[in-house]
Amino acid sequence: MNGTADRSHLKDILKHLILEPEGFTPEHAASGLRSIMRGEASDAQMGGFLTALKMRGAERDPAMIAALAQEMLNNALVPHIEFDDKAREDFGVIADIVGTGGDGWNTFNVSTTSSLIAVAAGLTVTKHGSRAFSSNYGSADFLEGLGCNLSAVMPSHVGKFLKEHRCCFIVAGTYYSSLHRVMKMWSELGFLTPFNILGPLTNPVVPDRAVIGVNSKALGPVMAEALRIMGRRNYAVVCGDENLDEISIAGDTHVWHIQESGEIKNYTIHPRDFGVPAHPLSEAAGATLEENKATLHRLLSNELEDRDIAVRDFVLINTGFLLYVAGIASSMEEGASIARETLESGKVKALLENFAKATWAL
């Protein structure tokens, strides 16, 4: 029983991982995940598999992460984008901005807000995210708190939203319903496993370009290499110097930018590169869902208070970098300038209102 095909059941794969770790390959890991997604595994087996992967150091292995992410994508529901009168390429560049979470900084909902601004600025975005498994809330919870009926948005609706609004929110649970049990389990284990970081790699639309935040500088090159193995190009992995899974408003952010050639270019950026002043990260802290909704309302309505300036600038640099990576802006500073002009124009508020109404009309 040395081949992957002979170890198709998670019990056998787990035994291999524990007893023969030196021979455990990315293909074996993918086979284990396949067994889970087929409903063949018990809770005890899933917990053992996650723990054993952790002990194996799988979250530091780009090939292992890439294999698990690709297996998830292979088993995802497929978003419907193609139409008789509109092919995928007719939408132009499709992008995403998403983070691993888990950085402990409790900042404002930057990636969700940035995705809305980027769409209003002309970019097509399929924002991948999830609902929270803990007392905190995820990006889906935030948008639902703003009036969106995301539970109604099915894979068959993605193309419709891209045609009419240039954006769609991709709720992970809708596309990976077979992973509900294991998703809850890995959120409860209390330590990092590869599954905690697969979310940003598994947008089923497979965007053309993306900004992906990670919660550890050590994870940056690992994530970038995993993306490269998966064939992604023009993706940028970012980590604030504070181990923040977004571009930091407080100082340096480390970037691993996958070029069209496949080369991974590592560099450091700072708010000054966007023409924006730095602020202490504490001034961009998030709060409760209701408080963050109120902050977003002030941002979109141009009714800023002094306490909102750092949050606004935080959003501008992250949006600006997304626009730069996606090719909408020729520089980071131009990206932030476009983001600010778009935010102040009122277009983002109208976009959110129209998107929310459309989700209830399905």
Side-chain angles (χ1 to χ4, degrees):
M1 282 186 27
N2 293 320
T4 302
D6 294 327
R7 300 179 184 272
S8 59
H9 192 279
L10 188 59
K11 183 177 180 180
D12 296 324
I13 294 164
L14 181 57
K15 187 183 298 184
H16 188 188
L17 178 54
I18 295 295
L19 300 180
E20 308 170 55
E22 67 284 349
F24 191 82
T25 67
E27 290 72 25
H28 288 120
S31 183
L33 177 55
R34 191 177 312 124
S35 181
I36 290 172
M37 297 187 81
R38 290 174 177 172
E40 298 171 350
S42 68
D43 286 350
Q45 289 168 346
M46 288 191 293
F49 184 59
L50 294 177
T51 302
L53 284 176
K54 171 65 177 179
M55 295 176 67
R56 163 75 165 67
E59 76 277 7
R60 301 188 299 274
D61 185 336
M64 196 76 70
I65 293 171
L68 290 167
Q70 192 59 57
E71 186 62 34
M72 279 187 65
L73 287 168
N74 291 345
N75 288 276
L77 295 180
V78 179
H80 179 70
I81 297 178
E82 303 287 336
F83 294 89
D84 291 339
D85 63 338
K86 199 174 184 71
R88 173 176 172 134
E89 54 267 23
D90 294 328
F91 289 107
V93 169
I94 298 178
D96 191 9
I97 178 169
V98 62
T100 58
D103 60 19
W105 283 100
N106 190 35
T107 52
F108 179 74
N109 298 80
V110 171
S111 64
T112 306
T113 306
S114 290
S115 67
L116 293 171
I117 299 172
V119 171
L123 182 63
T124 300
V125 175
T126 53
K127 175 76 177 79
H128 193 218
S130 63
R131 296 183 177 86
F133 283 98
S134 67
S135 58
N136 296 322
Y137 58 93
S139 50
D141 303 304
F142 186 51
L143 279 176
E144 289 178 331
L146 294 166
C148 300
N149 182 21
L150 298 183
S151 296
V153 182
M154 296 290 109
S156 59
H157 299 135
V158 174
K160 168 184 169 64
F161 276 91
L162 295 186
K163 284 179 70 173
E164 297 177 3
H165 304 281
R166 276 204 312 276
C167 68
C168 190
F169 193 89
I170 308 296
V171 181
T174 300
Y175 294 80
Y176 298 105
S177 58
S178 60
L179 282 179
H180 282 170
R181 284 167 59 221
V182 73
M183 288 169 75
K184 186 174 188 300
M185 183 171 293
W186 78 57
S187 72
E188 294 175 346
L189 282 175
F191 54 79
L192 182 69
T193 76
F195 288 84
N196 296 83
I197 56 180
L198 292 181
L201 302 176
T202 54
N203 184 331
V205 174
V206 188
D208 304 299
R209 304 192 179 200
V211 175
I212 294 178
V214 295
N215 57 22
S216 162
K217 293 187 287 292
L219 182 56
V222 175
M223 184 73 91
E225 177 61 16
L227 287 161
R228 190 196 66 77
I229 292 170
M230 295 174 71
R232 306 293 184 267
R233 301 295 183 264
N234 302 303
Y235 275 48
V237 177
V238 301
C239 184
D241 205 45
E242 315 86 350
N243 285 327
L244 179 73
D245 74 332
E246 286 154 334
I247 296 171
S248 177
I249 191 60
D252 288 341
T253 293
H254 304 270
V255 181
W256 296 265
H257 199 156
I258 308 168
Q259 308 296 296
E260 184 65 37
S261 65
E263 175 191 3
I264 299 174
K265 184 179 179 182
N266 181 216
Y267 55 94
T268 302
I269 58 178
H270 188 277
R272 73 173 74 90
D273 297 317
F274 298 86
V276 170
H279 302 272
L281 201 56
S282 59
E283 293 182 9
T288 65
L289 176 59
E290 291 303 316
E291 290 170 323
N292 279 1
K293 284 167 51 182
T295 299
L296 181 65
H297 175 76
R298 294 192 298 273
L299 288 176
L300 302 190
S301 303
N302 291 311
E303 298 173 352
L304 298 185
E305 300 176 1
D306 288 345
R307 59 179 171 158
D308 300 322
I309 300 302
V311 171
R312 181 203 62 191
D313 289 349
F314 194 14
V315 169
L316 292 182
I317 63 174
N318 279 272
T319 310
F321 193 67
L322 175 61
L323 295 174
Y324 169 64
V325 169
I328 297 291
S330 60
S331 69
M332 289 178 276
E333 186 166 4
E334 182 187 20
S337 178
I338 293 171
R340 181 164 185 164
E341 179 182 339
T342 304
L343 180 61
E344 294 176 350
S345 71
K347 294 178 182 178
V348 188
K349 184 177 182 180
L351 169 71
L352 178 57
E353 291 173 350
N354 290 334
F355 178 80
K357 288 177 183 177
T359 63
W360 287 101
L362 293 172

